[in-house]
Amino acid sequence: MEIKEVIRPDLLALKPYSSARDEYTGKAGVFLDANENPYGTLNRYPDPYQRALKAELAQLRDVDPNQIFVGNGSDEVIDLCFRLFCRPGMDKALQFSPTYGMYKVSAAINNIELLDCPLTADFQIDLESALKTIEREQPKLIFICSPNNPTGNLIDQATIKSIAQTTRGLVIVDEAYIDFADSESCISLLEQLDNLIVSQTFSKAWGLAAARVGVAYSSEAVISWLNNIKPPYNVSGLNQAAALEALQDREVFTQRKAAILKEKERLMDYFNQLDWVQQVYPTQANFILIQVPEATALYEQLIEQQIITRNRSSVIADSLRITVGTPKENDILINALNNL
Ligand SMILES: Cc1ncc(COP(=O)(O)O)c(C=O)c1O
């Protein structure tokens, strides 16, 4: 893939913003270049390229730091991909539904038509039909969410590979929940596929949803173009520090993840033994999708008890998506369901 043939042609002439700190080389002692306040602790602009964070991520994921982009949440990565690759009002993107709702919203904000191939009954991609759609419609972006939200299952990697090998556009594999899954990340496919972008986040297994730190892994060419179009200081210094701290405290990460996975098993067992629950879908994420009679009524009954779940009945009939909480939170849910 030649990157200049897939990005928006009008961006080729873009002269990216050059921040004050980009414009000097050598050792600095006194910073009088960026109109900052010389007093305080948060007075300096953060590193626009998040170098310390990327150095850690490069080790963790075994990639070059130049293959990493850090965004203000992975929602920013999604938005920047639309901006970089899709001409508003002209180009198309593709998703496989039911899936994460922001692809549609971000497409609409960027005035891009979003095509939709429904997943099969077991929530996999129908490869034959997907390839036909890709040939016919030539989407610039293809979103594949794995593990998928809200269904919780992984998408077959061989299918992802076939799609990436067929399309003349980019494939974004959204791995927001990959750290909970017992599967390898698609990062391992980056060497073979230069039109692949793997998106991950600190919002889920790393426990930093408030900090807004998302990460994209791709070829150096794609990452360099994402850097060209991003807002100069898109990830605050506080947020970079929070992500770095989380990466350095691997024990907390491991313990919390284990606690969540253990509780997930407990909840799965519980839902499975309730005879009124029609379906408990297998899940590789930190949430469980269940199908129940009158899901909306149940959703509202739970809200009355201040227990908030996600009603997904608009996309999968009579379904609720339930995030795994702490043992105490899950007890509260179980108690409420027992007393219905
Ligand atoms: C599949 C998926 N991708 C991305 C996100 C957004 O992540 P972030 O908090 O990094 O913007 C979510 C959040 O729920 C998600 O479910």
Side-chain angles (χ1 to χ4, degrees), residues 298-330:
L298 175 60
Y299 169 74
E300 276 158 14
Q301 275 176 302
L302 289 173
I303 287 184
E304 275 166 29
Q305 301 182 55
Q306 297 176 8
I307 300 169
I308 320 301
T309 61
R310 190 89 149 108
N311 188 357
R312 295 282 73 194
S313 303
S314 60
V315 289
I316 301 164
D318 274 322
S319 63
L320 293 188
R321 194 194 66 197
I322 299 167
T323 307
V324 179
T326 62
K328 195 169 154 201
E329 289 169 335
N330 301 331

Side-chain angles (χ1 to χ4, degrees), residues 24 28 61 63 92 102 118 152 209 233 270 274 281 284 300 311:
Y24 77 91
R61 303 301 189 199
V63 294
K92 296 174 185 174
M102 271 308 285
Y233 304 107
Y270 172 73
L274 291 178
Y281 290 96
Q284 294 276 334
E300 276 158 14
N311 188 357

Side-chain angles (χ1 to χ4, degrees), residues 82-97:
F82 276 113
R83 293 203 214 182
L84 181 56
F85 297 109
C86 300
R87 292 166 299 174
M90 295 175 77
D91 288 327
K92 296 174 185 174
L94 172 66
Q95 70 169 11
F96 301 91
S97 68

Side-chain angles (χ1 to χ4, degrees), residues 107-299:
I109 291 169
N110 287 287
N111 190 17
I112 301 304
E113 184 185 344
L114 184 68
L115 308 163
D116 194 356
C117 277
L119 292 169
T120 59
D122 59 351
F123 302 135
Q124 285 299 324
I125 292 175
D126 176 343
L127 184 59
E128 206 185 308
S129 129
L131 295 184
K132 271 192 200 145
T133 305
I134 292 163
E135 274 303 319
R136 193 180 59 239
E137 305 283 351
Q138 297 292 325
K140 293 298 289 288
L141 291 183
I142 301 174
F143 290 94
I144 300 176
C145 188
S146 179
N148 188 36
N149 176 5
T151 58
N153 61 293
L154 287 158
I155 303 296
D156 176 51
Q157 265 201 20
T159 302
I160 295 176
K161 211 170 141 181
S162 298
I163 289 176
Q165 283 166 337
T166 304
T167 181
R168 284 195 276 277
L170 277 286
V171 173
I172 302 177
V173 181
D174 185 339
E175 292 189 336
Y177 301 96
I178 194 69
D179 293 302
F180 295 112
D182 46 20
S183 153
E184 216 186 313
S185 160
C186 282
I187 288 176
S188 59
L189 300 178
L190 287 178
E191 265 179 35
Q192 315 160 42
L193 300 167
D194 61 2
N195 62 342
L196 185 66
I197 299 174
V198 179
S199 157
Q200 298 186 351
T201 180
F202 277 84
S203 298
K204 311 294 176 183
W206 295 94
L208 288 180
R212 314 303 305 126
V213 184
V215 187
Y217 301 89
S218 189
S219 67
E220 289 189 23
V222 167
I223 297 301
S224 145
W225 268 99
L226 285 171
N227 281 330
N228 286 348
I229 66 159
K230 80 182 180 72
Y233 304 107
N234 61 325
V235 183
S236 82
L238 293 171
N239 298 352
Q240 292 184 41
L244 203 50
E245 197 182 309
L247 284 175
Q248 283 158 353
D249 202 345
R250 216 59 66 78
E251 206 169 306
V252 168
F253 169 80
T254 310
Q255 278 169 6
R256 289 183 182 167
K257 181 172 124 179
I260 291 166
L261 292 179
K262 190 171 162 207
E263 280 298 294
K264 180 169 86 171
E265 286 314 310
R266 182 165 77 100
L267 282 180
M268 291 287 282
D269 289 346
Y270 172 73
F271 293 135
N272 271 317
Q273 52 89 35
L274 291 178
D275 53 12
W276 51 269
V277 173
Q278 294 154 325
Q279 274 277 10
V280 184
Y281 290 96
T283 170
Q284 294 276 334
N286 65 332
F287 55 80
I288 302 169
L289 186 74
I290 60 171
Q291 204 161 32
V292 294
E294 301 191 47
T296 301
L298 175 60
Y299 169 74

